[in-house]
Amino acid sequence: MFFKLIRQVSATILFASLGIASIAQQLPNPHLKITRADNHIVFESADRVIKRSRLELQALTAEGAQAVTKAQVGFNSALDELKIIQAKTIKSDGREIKVETNGFAVQKGYSAPGVGVTLPEWEIREINFPDVKAGDKVFREVVQTSIKSSLPGFQNFQAFLLPAFDADEMTVRIEAPQSLKLSVAANPSLTMSIENGKQIWIGKFSNKATTYDDNASSIRLRIPYVMVSTMGSNQDLGQRFAAAMIEKAVVTPEIDALAKRLTANATTDEQKVRAVYDWVRKEIKYAALFLGVGGWVPNDTTHIMSKRYGDCKDHVTLMHALLKAVGVESRPALIYTVFEYELDPVPVGFDHVISYVPSLQKFLDPTAMNTPYEGLPYSAYGKPVVVSDGKQTEVLKVPALRKMDNTVLSQTNIKIAASGAAEVTLKVKTRGHSASLIQDRLSQIPAGMGSAAVQQIIQQSGLQGTGFLRNEKVNRDSIEQSFEADLSIRDLLKNTDAGAVVPNPPLNLPIYVLNNLGNHQQERRTMPYVCNSMQVREEFSMEFEAGFKLYRVPASFTREISGIRFTSSYIQSGNKIAGWREIEIDHPEQECSPDEYRRRRLAMLDIVRHLRSQIIYER
C-alpha cells in the first residue's frame, strides 16, 4: 500500500475536508453541498506543478455546520510546499469572518498503527472556521507547489465529484508549456486551446446528488472527474518505476548466499519461487515507513535485510534480488487494491505493487504473510496490472478467483427435542479464499476461549445456547481449513406446539449458501459490481423427537442460468429429514456488468426464496 497516501496527496480531491470515505455512501448527503470549487493547475515542467484550489462548502443543517467547522489539508513536506492563502466563514447574511492565526494548527509527521503508513515528512494544516451555523458557508484557498517529484518526471492532478454531494459548480483550468506532453482525461471532456505558447485545458462541472449502487465497483470512471499526468501512459509509469526498483535490487554477497541456501533442495523454478516467497512473507515484516520523498523509490536490499521490514515495494525488491541470484526472473506489477477493475485512462498512480514470475505466469504478494503460495489476497484477484522489467512493459490481468479456490462443505446433524431445544454437530471443510476467511476468524480466538466464541456465534444468530469448538492449529501455509463444533441450542423452535423452521437453519457464519449469495433486491444496476466464483455445499439431517408431525417439507429444486447452478434435495423418512443443497458460481471475471446482474437477479431471488422455504410441524 505504499502509493496510497502519495496518491491521495497528488489528487486534489475537491471535497477532501469531507473525507475520501464518503465514496462508500449510497444515499445523498443532506447536510452539505459544494457551492464553489475552482482549480487552477500550472505544470511548469514534468517535475514542477503549482496547484491552486478554492473550495466553498455550505452547511445545510446543524450537522453540516459541525462537519465543516474543521478542515484538514495534508501534504508531504519533502515533495511540496503548501500555503493557505485565505480561509473564512461566510455568514448567511453575507458577512465574512476570517480565520485568525489561532484558528490554524500544524501537525508534523503522520503515523498509523499496525501496518498503516508512517510518513515523518507529512504535514497537516488544520483550519478551524469560526461561528459556522446552518446556512453559512466556509471558504478556503490553498496553493500547493511541488519542490521535488516522488518519481523523476512524474507529476499529476486528479479531481472528482462524488454522487453523494450536490455541487453547484466546479471549474478546472490546466496550463502547461506547449512543448510539455500531458495526458488528459475528463468526464465530461475538457476544452483545449493554445495561447501564447501554452496549452490550456478548461472544464466546468456540476453534480446533483443521487443514490448509487450497493457494492459498486470501478466508480472513478463513472462520476465527474479530471485526471492529468506528465506520463504518457500507465505503461510509461510502470517502466519508470520498474527501472528505479531494479536499480535497488542489488544481489549482494549476503543476498546471493541466502538465495542459494533457501533453494538448496529446489530443482525447478516453481520450487525456487515458493521457497523465496515463503521466506520473504514470513521473515520481512510489513512496515510502511517513508523517509524523504518515499512512496515510489524502494530501499536497497542491504537496507531491507538490515531492518528486516519494509513496505510492498521493498518486499518486491528483495524477492526480485533473491530470485535473480538463483536465475529466476521476476517483475514488479503495479496494482490498485480497492474495488477498481479498470486502469485509469491516464497514469495518476497505483496503491500497491506485487510480484510477477513470467516463467510460471504467476502473481504473488510477498507482503501477504498469511497467504500461502497457492493464493493471493482477495483485493488482487481479477485486477489489471502494469508489469515491467524496466525496458519492456505490458498490461496483464490477475486471474479472477476460481470456483475451485473458494469452496465450503458443511455437514450438520440436528436433533430437535420436544422442548424446542436442539443438539447440533457441525463439521466444516473449506478451501482457498473461504479457508483464509475461516483461518482469520479462528486465529482471533484466544486459547481456551473456543466455547465463548461458539456462544457468541449462537447469540449473533438470534439464538440461545452453548457449544464447543474443535479445530487443528491454524496453518497459514495450507489452503485448507476445517473445524468442528457441538452446539446445544435452547430455542431452535420458537413455538413447540406448531410452527415452521427452515431446513438446516444457518448460523452467523460464511459457510452457508444463503450467506454467500449477496444482495439481489435492487431492481437494476447502473454500475458494475464485484462478483465471486464459489462452490458452497450443505449436507444435513434434521430429526424431530417422537410426537412431532411434519406436514410440509420443501420440494427438491434446481435453478440454472449461465455461470450459476443451484440444486437441492430433501428426503423425509418419518420424523427425519436428510438433504443437501449446493450452489456453484463460475464467473471468468471478478466484476459483473449491470446487464449480467439483470440476467442473474431473478434466478438468485428464486434461490433465496427456496432457501427460506420452511418445514411445517405440529406437536
Side-chain angles (χ1 to χ4, degrees), residues 284-319:
I284 305 299
K285 298 298 182 287
Y286 183 89
L289 172 63
F290 299 150
L291 301 173
V293 297
W296 282 91
V297 180
N299 294 296
D300 60 37
T301 51
T302 299
H303 175 92
I304 300 167
M305 288 295 293
S306 67
K307 300 299 183 183
R308 293 298 176 103
Y309 64 70
D311 62 11
C312 58
K313 66 184 183 296
D314 293 329
H315 282 73
V316 170
T317 299
L318 180 58
M319 187 166 169

Side-chain angles (χ1 to χ4, degrees), residues 409-423:
L409 170 63
S410 65
Q411 297 170 311
T412 310
N413 295 312
I414 305 172
K415 292 185 177 182
I416 302 173
S419 63
E423 296 296 318

Side-chain angles (χ1 to χ4, degrees), residues 206-222:
S206 62
N207 191 61
K208 185 65 178 175
T210 183
T211 58
Y212 53 100
D213 298 343
D214 174 46
N215 201 34
S217 62
S218 301
I219 293 177
R220 292 161 56 84
L221 302 184
R222 289 163 177 83

Side-chain angles (χ1 to χ4, degrees), residues 22-149:
S22 300
I23 202 164
Q25 297 175 3
Q26 297 171 36
L27 295 176
N29 188 307
H31 305 298
L32 304 169
K33 81 169 180 176
I34 301 168
T35 52
R36 174 185 174 188
D38 302 320
N39 290 269
H40 186 189
I41 315 302
V42 179
F43 287 86
E44 295 185 344
S45 69
D47 291 298
R48 181 175 171 83
V49 61
I50 302 172
K51 305 172 184 177
R52 180 183 293 268
S53 65
R54 301 180 180 90
L55 177 62
E56 183 181 86
L57 303 172
Q58 184 174 26
L60 304 178
T61 65
E63 290 86 350
Q66 179 63 54
V68 301
T69 293
K70 178 187 290 187
Q72 293 183 336
V73 183
F75 68 105
N76 188 333
S77 62
L79 301 176
D80 300 295
E81 294 176 344
L82 185 138
K83 293 182 180 179
I84 299 175
I85 305 302
Q86 57 175 321
K88 58 189 176 182
T89 300
I90 304 173
K91 302 294 290 181
S92 57
D93 60 8
R95 290 182 297 115
E96 296 184 356
I97 307 175
K98 292 184 178 180
V99 178
E100 302 293 341
T101 302
N102 60 6
F104 296 98
V106 177
Q107 175 185 322
K108 294 189 176 183
Y110 178 91
S111 179
V115 297
V117 171
T118 296
L119 191 62
E121 285 80 10
W122 189 258
E123 288 192 18
I124 294 175
R125 302 290 170 82
E126 183 177 286
I127 307 170
N128 293 279
F129 295 96
D131 191 22
V132 184
K133 292 183 171 59
D136 295 345
K137 300 175 183 177
V138 297
F139 174 82
R140 71 173 187 255
E141 181 178 5
V142 176
V143 175
Q144 185 171 325
T145 304
S146 62
I147 56 177
K148 188 172 185 178
S149 296

